[in-house]
Amino acid sequence: MRRLAALILCTFALAAACSRTSSAPAASANGTAISTHDLVDELNAISSNRDYIDSLQSNSPTGGVTVLGSTPGSFDAAFVSQVLLRQLDYSLIHAEVKKRHLTIDDACRNEARNDAQLNLGQSNAAKGEQLFNKFPTRYQDLLVERNADVIVLESALAGQQCGKAVDAEAYYRAHPDDFTKICVSLIALNDATQADGIVTLARGGADFAGLVRQFSVDATSKATDGAIGCRLPSAFNATVASLLSAAKPGDVLEPLPGQSGVSIVKITDRQLAPLDEVRSQAEELATTTSGQAFSTWLRQARADSKVTVDALYGTFDPATFRINPPTLDLTTTTSPPAAASSSSSDTP
């Protein structure tokens, strides 16, 4: 059966015609209800900002989000399911913020407001501010409140503080391995069949510099007896970095394949880089780790949650944490069902 995509929800007022659905929760997460009133109220706020709707729909049907249904005052059913799904996520996040007794101060709220505007403008702060200001004040406050919950939890999970610059020093001290340079020497070979024998010689005590001079085919490293300097783990690809980080000075690794042969690598030293030298990397890693920690938490929170969704808005799939939109049109007014549509939407 085709999905009739328009969902009519009394978008411009909570009229009496909505009363038959407003008493039941639209959804719940771990026993915390999301009322139909809250869902309709958010849709009303979105409907009041035509520029925001246009920004979401601007690329449709080639990738944009379909927001409105074909009937005046209606929303695409898939869009409504995404709004409701987003409310479920924020419910889980807010519960965790309360559980951890996290405090949201003015600095955190300012960061949340700026970040919300940046997201609305798709990294264009001026555009985002314009869209933000066209929402009703109550919805602006809700967007900031939600984003503050996200940021304060994300910060806590990463050992940072919401509303303050990334603490590069704290990350540096907590993750010394990320900033410990690995000093190596290598023997480059075109013939991989030689490698095992040379590794055996090196591990048996043969002078590594002498082996470099005898066997290496790389003129640059050969001129320094194989020494290629000291580098942070991030300078190597992930597989090599893992092998190097697990080794200790004096170790000779198994031959590493390359584009035109193999390399035999010896760890000669490990040196913790001074903070001033790696501060920018520490800030970047702290920011990245913060996002990763939050994503990991949210995946687990979703997996552990107990969610219910009113069939009026679709069917919840716990395996994918998705709401599959209803297969038929839904109206909470006296209007006839809207025309069929094959559109779909992503998270607004």
Side-chain angles (χ1 to χ4, degrees):
M1 180 182 295
R2 274 193 313 175
R3 177 172 64 85
L4 299 180
L7 185 67
I8 301 174
L9 282 169
C10 301
T11 58
F12 302 108
L14 283 173
C18 288
S19 61
R20 70 180 179 84
T21 62
S22 59
S23 61
S28 69
N30 297 329
T32 299
I34 296 170
S35 70
T36 299
H37 181 284
D38 287 341
L39 174 60
V40 173
D41 200 40
E42 179 159 9
L43 292 169
N44 282 339
I46 292 171
S47 72
S48 72
N49 192 339
R50 183 69 205 203
D51 286 349
Y52 174 62
I53 292 174
D54 288 345
S55 74
L56 292 177
Q57 296 194 140
S58 59
N59 293 323
S60 185
T62 60
V65 175
T66 300
V67 178
L68 301 176
S70 57
T71 299
S74 69
F75 280 90
D76 179 79
F79 178 80
V80 174
S81 73
Q82 290 302 302
V83 171
L84 184 55
L85 191 68
R86 185 173 60 173
Q87 290 182 339
L88 286 168
D89 271 340
Y90 283 124
S91 177
L92 295 174
I93 293 164
H94 184 66
E96 186 69 13
V97 168
K98 291 178 63 177
K99 177 183 174 181
R100 291 171 177 259
H101 305 289
L102 300 177
T103 301
I104 298 173
D105 59 17
D106 289 342
C108 185
R109 286 190 181 87
N110 286 336
E111 181 182 350
R113 177 179 291 267
N114 292 336
D115 188 66
Q117 292 177 359
L118 201 62
N119 287 336
L120 282 172
Q122 298 178 24
S123 299
N124 184 324
K127 177 183 176 183
E129 184 178 9
Q130 290 176 350
L131 291 174
F132 182 85
N133 290 337
K134 290 181 178 180
F135 284 121
T137 300
R138 70 183 186 282
Y139 192 60
Q140 294 177 15
D141 293 342
L142 178 62
L143 292 176
V144 173
E145 177 186 327
R146 286 172 169 177
N147 211 33
D149 275 349
V150 172
I151 295 174
V152 75
L153 178 56
E154 185 177 84
S155 298
L157 291 169
Q160 299 289 322
Q161 188 169 347
C162 179
K164 292 191 175 181
V166 172
D167 190 342
E169 182 173 358
Y171 186 88
Y172 171 84
R173 298 192 183 285
H175 304 85
D177 287 348
D178 289 342
F179 307 103
T180 297
K181 292 183 176 181
I182 305 168
C183 306
V184 301
S185 290
L186 63 81
I187 303 170
L189 303 171
N190 289 329
D191 185 1
T193 59
Q194 291 181 294
D196 290 340
I198 296 173
V199 167
T200 299
L201 290 173
R203 289 175 174 173
D207 178 54
F208 197 82
L211 294 174
V212 171
R213 292 191 293 270
Q214 182 178 355
F215 296 107
S216 184
V217 297
D218 177 59
T220 301
S221 59
K222 192 171 186 176
T224 58
D225 289 341
I228 62 170
C230 305
R231 305 175 187 177
L232 293 174
S234 57
F236 303 95
N237 71 56
T239 301
V240 173
S242 178
L243 293 171
L244 297 179
S245 297
K248 61 183 184 297
D251 285 353
V252 177
L253 277 60
E254 290 296 314
L256 299 175
Q259 291 182 345
S260 59
V262 298
S263 296
I264 298 170
V265 175
K266 180 177 181 177
I267 310 298
T268 58
D269 197 8
R270 296 173 66 85
Q271 304 170 355
L272 181 63
L275 174 59
D276 287 345
E277 184 182 321
V278 295
R279 186 177 295 275
S280 61
Q281 292 98 318
E283 291 176 352
E284 183 178 349
L285 285 170
T287 301
T288 301
T289 301
S290 176
Q292 291 172 341
F294 178 79
S295 295
T296 299
W297 173 85
L298 183 58
R299 281 195 298 271
Q300 191 60 53
R302 285 172 167 178
D304 294 341
S305 65
K306 295 181 179 179
V307 171
T308 63
V309 172
D310 190 324
L312 200 64
Y313 308 110
T315 304
F316 180 71
D317 181 0
T320 59
F321 205 83
R322 289 176 57 89
I323 299 174
N324 298 314
T327 56
L328 292 177
D329 231 19
L330 171 69
T331 175
T332 56
T333 70
T334 56
S335 304
S341 169
S342 59
S343 60
S344 61
S345 71
D346 299 318
T347 303

